[in-house]
Amino acid sequence: MKTIKIAGVPEHFNLPWHMCIEDGEFEAVGIDLQWTDVPEGTGKMCQMLRDGETDIAVILTEGIIKDIAAGNPSSIVQVYVQSPLIWGIHVAANSSYNTLSDLENKKVAISRMGSGSHLMSIVNAQNQNWNTENLQFEIVNTIDGAVESLTSGKADYFMWERFMTQPLVDKGIFRRIADCPTPWPCFVIAVRNEVLEQHPKVIEQILDIINTTTEEFKLIPSIDRTLASKYNQKVEAIQEWLKLTRWSQKQMTAPTLDKIMEQLLKLQIIDKKLAKESILK
């Protein structure tokens, strides 16, 4: 048995991995794939890849490209979710903010620096023609931290995947003011270079197994109900999410990577473009 550690957010996008693990599909080919849920998200997973705490991360595209540019010794081996991630922009239910323009120069709660919630707050500010120099951040680590921070007024707004935050909106804890979709495919699979060099066949087998599942995922009987009960969602919300979500079984193309790096440069999230060979394997 070859042990491989993998990390991802505890969100509905990653149910295909859990299904393959529970069904023993990796075990059947001699791979002990050990999953770790990382509620803190992308910034934390970048750190885990750097520290060798995980071998693979299912991670936000912009976050891992930024971190590889900053020296993370990992590579993207494939796009995992092709469709954009839809970030909801949330305020506390009782807050006086009602429109996006009310949030200019206000403090944004983020899980950590370099996370999706941090990078997308810059994308959103740029979309609104706000001065990104004026963005102020409150680090909250997790969605529970964001609830505490917005409710107590330590921060003013919080950006997170809109379907995962929907239960908080339904309960009257958050109010969603607007949506901000990522201008790129949202999730990729990144692997530490050392693991890629030592076990290329194992990584290939892992990708083959997950790709077979994601290709047919939407056709699984009652998958909407399974997702709804597992992630504390309404079935209608999950059905809408399934319609919008497209998994991928392919590596990112060079033109797509180039376009993403152009945008990250413009947003000053990276300071130079890298050769595609240093990001895609």
Side-chain angles (χ1 to χ4, degrees):
M1 273 295 207
K2 176 74 204 131
T3 299
I4 295 282
K5 293 176 289 192
I6 182 168
V9 287
E11 294 181 10
H12 34 15
F13 295 96
N14 286 324
L15 185 61
W17 290 100
H18 297 294
M19 291 169 76
C20 291
I21 292 168
E22 281 158 25
D23 292 349
E25 292 185 46
F26 298 108
E27 236 170 277
V29 295
I31 300 167
D32 175 20
L33 192 66
Q34 298 182 350
W35 180 276
T36 300
D37 269 336
V38 183
E40 299 92 335
T42 291
K44 168 80 170 164
M45 283 189 274
C46 286
Q47 196 58 54
M48 289 170 74
L49 284 165
R50 283 173 178 259
D51 296 345
E53 279 178 49
T54 191
D55 301 315
I56 304 177
V58 185
I59 194 163
L60 289 176
T61 307
E62 60 275 22
I64 190 62
I65 291 177
K66 174 191 189 289
D67 213 51
I68 290 171
N72 188 325
S74 301
S75 301
I76 293 172
V77 292
Q78 191 191 295
V79 175
Y80 177 61
V81 176
Q82 179 63 40
S83 44
L85 192 69
I86 300 172
W87 291 79
I89 303 170
H90 304 86
V91 296
N94 59 0
S95 117
S96 58
Y97 309 124
N98 294 305
T99 65
L100 255 183
S101 56
D102 293 340
L103 301 177
E104 188 172 2
N105 303 329
K106 299 293 185 286
K107 189 178 272 190
V108 53
I110 62 171
S111 55
R112 55 171 64 202
M113 299 306 273
S115 65
S117 49
H118 170 217
L119 303 186
M120 283 304 293
S121 66
I122 300 171
V123 172
N124 176 58
Q126 198 106 15
N127 289 349
Q128 302 307 313
N129 296 316
W130 298 345
N131 182 350
T132 53
E133 304 279 300
N134 295 341
L135 283 169
Q136 308 165 61
F137 303 107
E138 173 81 19
I139 295 172
V140 298
N141 293 309
T142 60
I143 198 160
D144 293 337
V147 168
E148 198 276 313
S149 186
L150 262 57
T151 309
S152 66
K154 279 196 219 115
D156 300 301
Y157 66 104
F158 176 61
M159 295 180 65
W160 206 255
E161 200 273 334
R162 71 166 277 187
F163 290 95
M164 286 310 289
T165 32
Q166 187 60 45
L168 293 169
V169 174
D170 293 341
K171 284 180 192 149
I173 296 168
F174 280 173
R175 228 173 350 99
R176 189 168 54 246
I177 281 184
D179 287 336
C180 180
T182 57
W184 41 66
C186 60
F187 282 107
V188 294
I189 300 171
V191 182
R192 288 194 300 120
N193 291 337
E194 187 190 344
V195 175
L196 266 180
E197 280 150 28
Q198 290 172 0
H199 308 290
K201 278 276 170 283
V202 174
I203 298 303
E204 212 172 293
Q205 282 179 302
I206 290 171
L207 295 179
D208 282 347
I209 289 168
I210 192 64
N211 288 341
T212 304
T213 298
T214 56
E215 220 160 0
E216 296 162 0
F217 185 69
K218 293 187 187 187
L219 306 173
I220 296 170
S222 306
I223 194 62
D224 51 355
R225 290 208 289 281
T226 304
L227 282 158
S229 71
K230 204 168 172 62
Y231 295 96
N232 182 24
Q233 299 274 336
K234 292 182 173 156
V235 174
E236 309 76 74
I238 287 290
Q239 286 167 342
E240 187 191 345
W241 174 78
L242 280 168
K243 266 200 224 95
L244 295 170
T245 303
R246 294 190 317 284
W247 278 269
S248 167
Q249 293 77 31
K250 295 186 174 72
Q251 178 54 298
M252 186 181 286
T253 63
T256 300
L257 176 64
D258 197 60
K259 212 169 94 183
I260 296 170
M261 285 198 291
E262 279 292 338
Q263 286 172 306
L264 295 180
L265 257 180
K266 204 175 85 184
L267 296 163
Q268 298 175 321
I269 287 168
I270 57 176
D271 53 14
K272 62 178 188 298
K273 279 166 82 166
L274 301 181
K276 97 171 176 32
E277 295 69 37
S278 55
I279 297 185
L280 306 179
K281 292 284 186 312

